Amino acid sequence: MIGRIALRSGIRLDRLLGVIRQHWAGSAEIDPTEVAAGSLALQSGATDRLGFVARELGDWIVLADSEDVTADAALAAQLAEELEVPVLWVCTVDDAARVVWFGGDAPDPDEALGPAEVEAWADARIPGWRAGWADSGGERLAFGGLDADLYVDDAAWLVPTRVSVGAIQVRGGPGVDPTTVSREIAAYWLSCGARPGDTAVPEEPCGVIGGGSDRLVVAVSPCVEGWITVVDSEREVADLALADWLSATLDADVAWYWVDSENDAAALRLFGFEDLEEEPADEPESVIVFAAETFPQPFVTLGSEESEGWQRLGFTAVEADEYVTDPAWLEESSPGGSDPGSESG
């Protein structure tokens, strides 16, 4: 079992370490000697510390961390974006392996051949890549007080073969729970002229915005790790006007986004989130990375196994113009999100 991040040499180590500091900017930097070697210590809850070591190995720079058998895919994605170079993320376990290139394509080993073949592939191309946190050498830095949920050990969260999904995320808190969110969703759609309907999920997505149906089913998740997820039977998009309404009526942090990676399209808007300096760009990789890092249920669709048991609301006589998918609507609508009748973009 081993997890590493690697990129071609030519990037100064201080630049690479700077991106790591940027990625973990919300955590305190500590002396690397304060981080003990121990596989999966952060993810198992045994510590809130994480150390990184960067080694120049021939034509490569290899980054290992104190979790050792995993590597942070979200960090790999940010390195590729900030340094504008392809970044290799590789993890092997007892019976499986995964290799992902962020920021570019390069020859991959056949993951189906298993971890031994993937490790042999890496051995042949990056001699010394197995050296980890417990081994000597390399440039080191470390952080304390980390949130283990922000360490993304599964690159499939960030680079699924195709993401076509939309969601609204509501930060739970006093007075903001799934029942309250469901009540406000019902109030919104009834104020738009819709009527209560059945909760059977329509077979085809995007029926409302495509003009083929006037039925909409909305599902509200339990509060998981502080977040309540809202998805609907359109599946591939989410309703910005509803997100605006929820933010105003609940006075809560609300995120709205949809991603269509096949067509290289995405949109995201945040309501609240005062600690965030800048919203991610409206492009698939940025939205996918942000959602995967921030929300415990970023890409659930209505009707999937993950959404079973969620509260459902059904509506009929839903007007397509009331379902907003274009962020330009925010600039065109009245302030405060109190005008659910504004036209969608």
Side-chain angles (χ1 to χ4, degrees):
M1 299 173 65
I2 190 169
R4 297 290 184 267
I5 294 169
L7 58 160
R8 293 285 186 178
S9 61
I11 299 297
R12 297 200 323 266
L13 282 181
D14 62 331
R15 285 193 65 202
L16 184 149
L17 298 178
V19 176
I20 299 174
R21 290 187 172 98
Q22 178 183 343
H23 185 78
W24 290 105
S27 303
E29 188 167 345
I30 61 176
D31 190 320
T33 61
E34 297 179 27
V35 179
S39 298
L40 302 179
L42 176 69
Q43 293 178 84
S44 66
T47 185
D48 65 354
R49 298 174 179 179
L50 182 66
F52 292 91
V53 55
R55 295 182 174 89
E56 293 187 272
L57 302 171
D59 295 334
W60 296 83
I61 298 174
V62 176
L63 186 65
D65 64 49
S66 52
E67 294 294 273
D68 191 50
V69 299
T70 59
D72 186 354
L75 174 59
Q78 185 164 352
L79 287 168
E81 181 177 357
E82 297 291 336
L83 300 176
E84 298 182 337
V85 296
V87 174
L88 171 68
W89 177 92
V90 56
C91 281
T92 66
V93 294
D94 291 338
D95 58 357
R98 185 163 177 81
V99 178
V100 175
W101 286 95
F102 291 92
D105 296 324
D108 287 348
D110 185 351
E111 296 171 355
L113 295 177
E117 290 294 332
V118 168
E119 291 175 5
W121 176 89
D123 287 336
R125 289 159 179 79
I126 317 173
W129 75 287
R130 295 173 184 262
W133 178 254
D135 299 304
S136 61
E139 294 288 329
R140 296 171 183 257
L141 73 166
F143 305 90
L146 272 69
D147 181 349
D149 290 337
L150 298 182
Y151 185 102
V152 180
D153 62 1
D154 185 359
W157 277 31
L158 308 184
V159 287
T161 55
R162 181 178 184 269
V163 171
S164 184
V165 66
I168 296 170
Q169 305 281 353
V170 181
R171 192 188 297 274
V176 182
D177 57 28
T179 299
T180 307
V181 172
S182 296
R183 183 187 67 217
E184 291 301 330
I185 292 170
Y188 170 78
W189 278 112
L190 294 177
S191 74
C192 290
R195 300 191 300 271
D198 71 73
T199 59
V201 180
E203 184 175 341
E204 296 297 326
C206 297
V208 170
I209 63 173
S213 174
D214 68 350
R215 289 186 57 242
L216 185 71
V217 180
V218 184
V220 180
S221 81
C223 190
V224 178
E225 298 177 16
W227 290 98
I228 300 163
T229 303
V230 180
V231 297
D232 63 47
S233 53
E234 296 293 274
R235 267 101 90 188
E236 298 176 4
V237 288
D239 183 1
L240 180 57
L242 174 59
D244 192 34
W245 172 282
L246 292 173
S247 173
T249 58
L250 299 175
D251 191 25
D253 288 347
V254 175
W256 164 90
Y257 56 91
W258 56 261
V259 180
D260 182 357
S261 56
E262 184 173 351
N263 292 304
D264 196 30
L268 177 144
R269 291 297 180 270
L270 304 176
F271 303 85
F273 287 83
E274 294 180 357
D275 294 336
L276 191 69
E277 295 182 359
E278 185 178 3
E279 289 186 355
D282 285 342
E283 52 88 18
E285 184 176 355
S286 294
V287 175
I288 289 171
V289 169
F290 177 81
E293 286 185 330
T294 309
F295 309 118
Q297 304 175 111
F299 308 125
V300 175
T301 55
L302 181 58
S304 66
E305 184 176 344
E306 295 92 337
S307 69
E308 290 300 317
W310 292 14
Q311 296 182 34
R312 287 191 186 181
L313 302 92
F315 303 96
T316 190
V318 173
E319 294 287 341
D321 286 345
E322 305 292 354
Y323 192 106
V324 179
T325 63
D326 185 351
W329 175 86
L330 283 174
E331 286 71 47
E332 298 167 359
S333 62
S334 59
S338 58
D339 183 9
S342 297
E343 290 186 357
S344 63

